[in-house]
Amino acid sequence: MSYGTERRWSAAAWWKRRSGRRERLRFDGWIAGLGTSGGTRVVLGHWPRSPFGPFSDVMVERADGERLLLAPSRETAEFISGTYTFDAVRVVPVEVSVLGDVWTVEAGPLRLRFTTGRRGVLGLLLRAVPGVLAGRPAWSACVDLPARVLLTGVRTRGSAGGGRREWYGARDLRPVRSVTGVFEGADLGRCAPVEPPVRFGFGSVPARPALVRVTTTVELGEETGTTARKSGEETR
């Protein structure tokens, strides 16, 4: 990081402290929520743009309720586990490839493949939301109630761990039609509803397996400071 960039960061941090405004980090990408007939539920986060650079992570809730995070680095693992709740955290390579409608995920003990279908009316409506608008917390707050009504278990804003707050701005929605996978050597079974809802944070994913294009904003707690930010990346 250059000296000029460092000075700009220092000035920005000073102003936020002076104004009482907490720092906000923005993640732009996709979230897939999947259920399986074996009872394991999986939430994939695929983030081409984030304060940590491009990365993907996987949250797994077993049939017995154990919650596991699979993250690609210690830095991302610490940030995610400071925002959501897990019983165990593993740092493992997480690789995601997309070929048309087929997504393939390899993350430590998990091998997963799922196929998306054609978007419905709600997906078409979300596609019309401008990206700039979807990234604004005020917009996420406005659509929180409709989201709860239309998609059981889904919330677009709420309180997270470490005194953080979080907003989700959806920009697309496509159904997941098929799932195949293996976790720790055991077959996960076929695609099934995400039931019971996952318990990583203040809300779940849609009960019907789906892939959501989303802009996520995380407002840090006062104790977090600016350490979660990657040098040179701009957050707003």
Side-chain angles (χ1 to χ4, degrees):
M1 180 171 64
S2 68
Y3 175 67
T5 303
E6 185 177 2
R7 289 187 62 186
R8 287 197 297 273
W9 277 121
S10 298
W14 177 86
W15 173 251
K16 286 176 181 178
R17 288 196 300 268
R18 179 85 177 225
S19 65
R21 178 185 174 187
R22 296 183 179 182
E23 185 177 11
R24 290 177 176 177
L25 306 183
R26 185 168 296 170
F27 300 76
D28 191 62
W30 288 264
I31 295 176
L34 314 171
T36 67
S37 58
T40 297
R41 286 91 73 209
V42 178
V43 178
L44 165 70
H46 180 58
W47 309 107
R49 297 181 60 188
S50 87
F52 303 98
F55 78 97
S56 301
D57 67 273
V58 183
M59 304 178 190
V60 178
E61 184 165 352
R62 302 173 188 263
D64 63 5
E66 183 184 23
R67 296 161 294 182
L68 172 67
L69 170 65
L70 305 175
S73 68
R74 181 175 179 181
E75 185 182 31
T76 55
E78 288 179 348
F79 179 80
I80 297 169
S81 62
T83 307
Y84 304 97
T85 302
F86 303 95
D87 301 300
V89 177
R90 299 184 193 177
V91 177
V92 297
V94 180
E95 301 292 337
V96 176
S97 63
V98 184
L99 183 60
D101 295 335
V102 180
W103 288 60
T104 303
V105 183
E106 295 188 6
L110 177 70
R111 299 291 183 272
L112 185 71
R113 175 174 292 186
F114 64 90
T115 303
T116 60
R118 296 179 61 181
R119 61 181 58 87
V121 174
L122 183 55
L124 293 172
L125 291 174
L126 291 174
R127 288 263 293 177
V129 177
V132 174
L133 181 61
R136 293 181 177 175
W139 170 255
S140 298
C142 288
V143 300
D144 184 57
L145 181 57
R148 296 192 202 191
V149 174
L150 294 172
L151 301 169
T152 303
V154 172
R155 295 185 60 186
T156 61
R157 64 169 180 169
S159 299
R164 301 170 184 175
R165 293 195 296 167
E166 194 169 16
W167 296 266
Y168 294 98
R171 299 172 57 188
D172 196 1
L173 174 68
R174 299 184 66 177
V176 171
R177 296 302 186 194
S178 64
V179 175
T180 59
V182 176
F183 181 63
E184 295 185 334
D187 191 297
L188 294 175
R190 64 183 184 278
C191 185
V194 184
E195 294 176 352
V198 292
R199 303 170 299 116
F200 305 114
F202 57 81
S204 182
V205 293
R208 292 184 178 180
L211 175 69
V212 182
R213 174 83 162 84
V214 67
T215 299
T216 301
T217 302
V218 180
E219 182 179 82
L220 303 181
E222 293 182 355
E223 80 289 350
T224 310
T226 60
T227 56
R229 187 177 50 219
K230 181 181 178 182
S231 299
E233 292 280 340
E234 182 180 1
T235 60
R236 291 180 287 176

